[in-house]
């Protein structure tokens, strides 16, 4: 019994000493050490937020997969919604998100080229009065894009102050490798025509992951083509998708003329 009491007393003494040591260490901490600990906690919270964001993205992509796109495409042939009939008022129009693209000559630029008051956010090119951006995520949508760009080009080929871009999105990791990327750009540069028109149709490529870009524009189905008419401030004033109808083309040309005026 006496031996047990001594062991208990010794345990309490050791616990007391360890507690005192913890308190001394806490008091000996410098403000910088405490600050570092606080920043470490914030960093961990930031990681958790990034993980939650990525988890939400994975869930979204699993719910909306390739087969869902095919099923929807078979249902309406890529015509998710009819195009606007008139211009979207500037006060309620949203800005087209910034997009980094690569030209066939290897030059990297940012779209859209917009006017920001008295200046232009791209020093290489003057801000156009109107821009038509045609987006293609899969090869199947090229015919849809052509149904918009061909009549648009014929109508405004002699008109200045308009830009026409065909943007092909390349998300394949293989085609994003430098050797394959250079080969792709070289092939497309050789196939481009050298016509000298006031309106230049430029074919550009967006390499990489564009999930959040698509989310900003509410683009879900990747099998269809999308067209956006922007004003000089880079705001979406008209949009369409799928194969163009004659009525939709008339609306596009009319709205473009209104922006030029």
């Amino acid at each position: 019994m006496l031996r047990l009491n001594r062991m208990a007393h010794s345990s309490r003494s050791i616990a007391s000493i360890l507690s005192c040591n913890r308190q001394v260490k806490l008091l000996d901490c410098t403000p910088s050490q405490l600050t570092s600990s606080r920043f470490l906690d914030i960093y961990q919270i930031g990681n958790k937020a990034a993980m939650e964001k990525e988890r939400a993205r994975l869930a979204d992509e699993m719910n909306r997969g390739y087969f869902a796109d095919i099923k929807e495409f078979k249902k309406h042939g890529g015509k998710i919604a009819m195009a606007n009939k008139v211009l979207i008022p500037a006060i309620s129009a949203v800005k087209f998100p910034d997009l980094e693209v690569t030209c066939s000559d290897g030059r990297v630029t940012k779209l859209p080229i917009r006017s920001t008051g008295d200046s232009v956010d791209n020093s290489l090119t003057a801000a156009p009065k109107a821009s038509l951006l045609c987006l293609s995520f899969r090869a199947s949508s090229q015919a849809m894009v052509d149904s918009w760009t061909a009549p648009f080009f014929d109508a405004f080929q002699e008109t200045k102050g308009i830009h026409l871009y065909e943007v092909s999105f390349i998300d394949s990791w293989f085609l994003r490798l430098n050797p394959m990327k250079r080969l792709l750009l070289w092939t497309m540069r050789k196939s481009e025509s050298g016509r000298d028109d006031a309106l230049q149709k430029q074919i550009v490529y967006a390499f990489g992951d564009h999930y959040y870009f698509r989310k900003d524009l509410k683009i879900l189905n990747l099998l269809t083509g999308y067209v956006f008419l922007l004003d000089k401030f880079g705001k979406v004033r008209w949009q369409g998708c799928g194969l163009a109808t004659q009525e939709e083309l008339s609306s596009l040309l009319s709205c473009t003329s209104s922006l030029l005026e």
Side-chain angles (χ1 to χ4, degrees):
M1 178 64 74
L2 181 61
R3 184 176 297 175
L4 291 175
N5 288 337
R6 286 177 180 173
M7 290 177 64
H9 177 72
S10 298
S11 300
R12 285 194 296 268
S13 299
I14 293 171
S16 179
I17 291 170
L18 291 175
S19 178
C20 290
N21 285 339
R22 291 193 198 101
Q23 293 176 2
V24 170
K25 287 182 180 179
L26 182 60
L27 292 173
D28 287 342
C29 287
T30 62
S32 61
Q33 289 173 320
L34 293 175
T35 304
S36 298
S37 177
R38 190 176 299 118
F39 275 119
L40 179 62
D41 292 339
I42 295 174
Y43 177 74
Q44 290 173 344
I45 293 173
N47 274 347
K48 290 179 181 178
M51 290 174 63
E52 289 295 331
K53 187 176 181 180
E54 187 64 21
R55 189 177 291 112
R57 169 181 173 163
L58 289 173
D60 181 37
E61 290 185 329
M62 289 179 67
N63 290 332
R64 179 74 191 191
Y66 179 71
F67 293 104
D69 286 354
I70 292 179
K71 182 179 179 180
E72 189 176 75
F73 189 85
K74 288 181 177 179
K75 184 178 180 180
H76 51 57
K79 183 64 72 175
I80 298 174
M82 298 302 294
N84 299 99
K85 293 184 177 181
V86 296
L87 281 175
I88 300 171
I91 193 171
S92 58
V94 299
K95 281 191 174 182
F96 193 89
D98 290 336
L99 178 65
E100 184 177 273
V101 297
T102 304
C103 304
S104 59
D105 59 3
R107 180 171 50 90
V108 177
T109 187
K110 185 179 69 173
L111 296 178
I113 299 171
R114 57 166 65 94
S115 174
T116 55
D118 297 328
S119 62
V120 179
D121 64 357
N122 189 320
S123 60
L124 299 177
T125 311
K129 293 181 179 179
S131 301
L132 186 67
L133 270 65
C134 306
L135 312 183
S136 176
F137 296 90
R138 299 290 183 266
S140 60
S141 62
Q142 187 58 51
M144 303 177 198
V145 169
D146 292 342
S147 70
W148 298 98
T149 58
F152 187 87
F153 187 86
D154 290 340
F156 296 107
Q157 60 182 319
E158 301 299 332
T159 306
K160 294 182 179 181
I162 302 180
H163 285 181
L164 172 59
Y165 291 95
E166 286 189 17
V167 185
S168 295
F169 288 80
I170 311 295
D171 54 9
S172 168
W173 67 270
F174 181 70
L175 294 178
R176 285 155 53 186
L177 296 175
N178 281 332
M180 300 306 301
K181 183 177 179 179
R182 287 195 295 267
L183 178 61
L184 172 65
L185 295 176
W186 179 81
T187 303
M188 299 311 299
R189 184 167 64 251
K190 296 286 287 184
S191 64
E192 288 182 4
S193 63
R195 292 180 58 176
D196 186 19
D197 298 298
L199 171 61
Q200 290 294 321
K201 181 175 74 170
Q202 301 186 55
I203 301 175
V204 296
Y205 305 89
F207 293 89
D209 176 56
H210 300 95
Y211 172 79
Y212 294 106
F213 170 83
R214 291 188 280 109
K215 291 289 285 185
D216 287 343
L217 290 175
K218 296 179 174 58
I219 291 176
L220 296 178
N221 196 308
L222 302 185
L223 299 180
T224 189
Y226 300 86
V227 290
F228 297 88
L229 180 65
L230 315 182
D231 62 17
K232 66 177 182 179
F233 300 109
K235 289 187 173 184
V236 179
R237 304 295 301 278
W238 182 97
Q239 64 185 63
C241 64
L243 286 169
T245 66
Q246 192 58 48
E247 183 181 359
E248 289 176 323
L249 285 173
S250 298
S251 172
L252 170 61
L253 301 182
S254 175
C255 289
T256 304
S257 299
S258 297
L259 289 181
L260 292 176
E261 295 171 0

